[in-house]
Amino acid sequence: MRASDVDRDRVAAILREHTAQGRITVDEFNERLEQVYASKTYGELARVTADLPEVDLRAQPARIPAPSPAPAGLHPGMKGAWGAWASAVAVTSVIWLLTDFGGYFWPMWVAGPWGALLLVSTIFGGKK
């Protein structure tokens, strides 16, 4: 019976899995892969993997790296926002100290609303 491209790709995936598990070398893999794509029938495909154990690709765990656990603390973007807020408050406070120390503390209008918005975003914002 004639094999399709999908059948050849499935056998190639099986060979990749056997190579990853160390059953065949990279050179053997390349030789067998050439045989796979030259195969026209199921019998020829079966001969390529006859000396290898059965592999069910659906049962294999995905080789996608697991996401790293979220680091404790703030999201990097939120850290940047707090850093910008702190810088702006520091600059306006220095200007206030140099120009009107002891007078009306106008930097509160920079620090207060912006800080309140950041605080709400930090507490109720999502992880990303």
Side-chain angles (χ1 to χ4, degrees):
M1 196 172 222
R2 305 270 303 180
S4 69
D5 288 338
V6 173
D7 297 323
R8 285 184 277 277
D9 289 339
R10 182 182 51 79
V11 173
I14 290 170
L15 288 175
R16 277 191 292 278
E17 184 62 31
H18 285 296
T19 304
Q21 293 178 3
R23 289 193 184 98
I24 60 176
T25 66
V26 175
D27 291 334
E28 289 176 299
F29 170 74
N30 289 330
E31 290 172 14
R32 291 178 189 228
L33 198 59
E34 287 177 17
Q35 293 172 5
V36 165
Y37 286 109
S39 298
K40 293 185 172 130
T41 65
Y42 285 118
E44 292 171 342
L45 288 176
R47 282 192 291 273
V48 174
T49 58
D51 62 335
L52 299 170
E54 289 284 324
V55 173
D56 185 8
L57 293 178
R58 293 170 292 171
Q60 297 294 323
R63 294 206 176 255
I64 299 170
S68 58
L74 294 176
H75 181 273
M78 192 56 72
K79 287 181 181 180
W82 277 108
W85 174 84
S87 297
V89 171
V91 168
T92 55
S93 296
V94 167
I95 293 171
W96 173 77
L97 283 171
L98 294 174
T99 59
D100 192 22
F101 182 69
Y104 179 71
F105 185 69
W106 56 266
M108 72 178 173
W109 293 107
V110 174
W114 188 3
L117 288 173
L118 281 176
L119 184 61
V120 169
S121 295
T122 300
I123 293 172
F124 297 110
K127 291 281 182 191
K128 289 187 179 183

